Amino acid sequence: MPNAHHRVAIVTGGSRGIGRAIATRLAADGLAVVVNYAGGTAAASATVETITAAGGRAVAVQADVADEGAVAAMFDRAEQEFGGVDVVVSSAGRLALSTIADQDLEVLDALHRTNIRGTFVVAQQAARRLRLGGAFVGMSTSVVGTQFPTYGAYVASKSAVEGMTLILAKELRGRDVTANVVAPGPTGTDLFLDGKTQEQIDALAKAAPLERLGTPDDIAGVVSFLVGPDGHWVNGQTIRANGGMV
């Protein structure tokens, strides 16, 4: 595995929340980072500024992760700017809550376009372009296991992410490239907090034996381990980073 200061990461959805924490952590680890974003130009620029102000290397690249042409161009940009791609973290995602009975199917289609097709398109480019010693990380959710009501559409999409990523690990045999999934539990991001009452947030914070919400940095630390030298023997796994919630 190359020295961290010669490695390059693409982080989709890297402008805010868990994606931003992952991007800044990998930059702190010494990797050059491509911060992907869909539409939040200001947030992406702020993430890049945070990284560069700390002495890191980063560029922001706008791309719809479900658009194969845009994603291929993003990988091209990474190769042009930094020389190649060693780590891909597919953290771009959508969340929409509804009972299955009441789910708006247009919302379902939009969610699955980003979460399933988007992850697949990014994983496809990763499979073609990751260098020796590389790593792919998909992002799921611990709700795949806890099965909370109203998460049907979201869990359907994240179950797909888990399945495709673990198959990818087997398809990369002989490449010295790992593929794993991180499945956060309740984590204090805008995406998670939106639409929830304080009572709901407090109840979810108590669900884990550690009795708190996770933080984006908690999740970034797990990703840092998986894509670094100490985590390279971990392959084809889903890591449920949730404080012990079952």
Side-chain angles (χ1 to χ4, degrees):
M1 183 178 292
N3 181 283
H5 292 280
H6 295 98
R7 301 182 80 212
V8 180
I10 293 174
V11 180
T12 70
S15 65
R16 55 181 56 132
I18 290 173
R20 177 188 170 97
I22 292 168
T24 55
R25 173 59 186 266
L26 296 184
D29 290 344
L31 284 74
V33 181
V34 173
V35 177
N36 162 257
Y37 66 101
T41 303
S45 297
T47 302
V48 169
E49 289 170 9
T50 297
I51 291 170
T52 55
R57 298 168 294 156
V59 294
V61 178
Q62 184 175 25
D64 173 359
V65 291
D67 181 332
E68 62 270 34
V71 171
M74 177 173 62
F75 276 74
D76 290 343
R77 178 76 182 279
E79 292 170 353
Q80 292 160 6
E81 290 278 347
F82 301 121
V85 181
D86 303 282
V87 171
V88 174
V89 182
S90 181
S91 62
R94 290 174 180 256
L95 172 65
L97 302 181
S98 170
T99 62
I100 291 171
D102 296 326
Q103 180 68 62
D104 183 316
L105 295 183
E106 289 187 3
V107 172
L108 175 77
D109 289 343
L111 186 151
H112 284 188
R113 183 178 187 276
T114 297
N115 295 3
I116 299 179
R117 180 186 169 91
T119 300
F120 195 100
V121 169
V122 171
Q124 185 175 67
Q125 286 297 319
R128 294 171 179 175
R129 304 217 209 182
L130 279 169
R131 295 190 289 199
L132 189 73
F136 175 85
V137 178
M139 299 300 294
S140 181
T141 173
S142 287
V143 186
V144 170
T146 59
Q147 300 162 358
F148 293 147
T150 74
Y151 280 81
Y154 188 63
V155 164
S157 71
K158 293 303 187 178
S159 297
V161 168
E162 292 190 16
M164 75 174 77
T165 303
L166 304 192
I167 287 172
L168 179 63
K170 293 179 170 59
E171 292 179 348
L172 292 171
R173 175 182 291 274
R175 293 269 303 278
D176 192 30
V177 173
T178 63
N180 292 289
V181 178
V182 175
T187 304
T189 64
D190 290 342
L191 184 68
F192 169 78
L193 296 172
D194 183 46
K196 292 183 175 68
T197 66
Q198 189 60 49
E199 183 180 19
Q200 290 172 320
I201 293 167
D202 291 344
L204 287 166
K206 292 288 188 181
L210 296 182
E211 295 191 335
R212 67 172 176 85
L213 295 179
T215 69
D217 287 342
D218 289 328
I219 309 307
V222 177
V223 173
S224 172
F225 166 74
L226 287 174
V227 306
D230 290 340
H232 200 62
W233 189 236
V234 181
N235 190 28
Q237 304 299 315
T238 295
I239 310 299
R240 304 220 179 278
N242 59 24
M245 185 177 68
V246 294

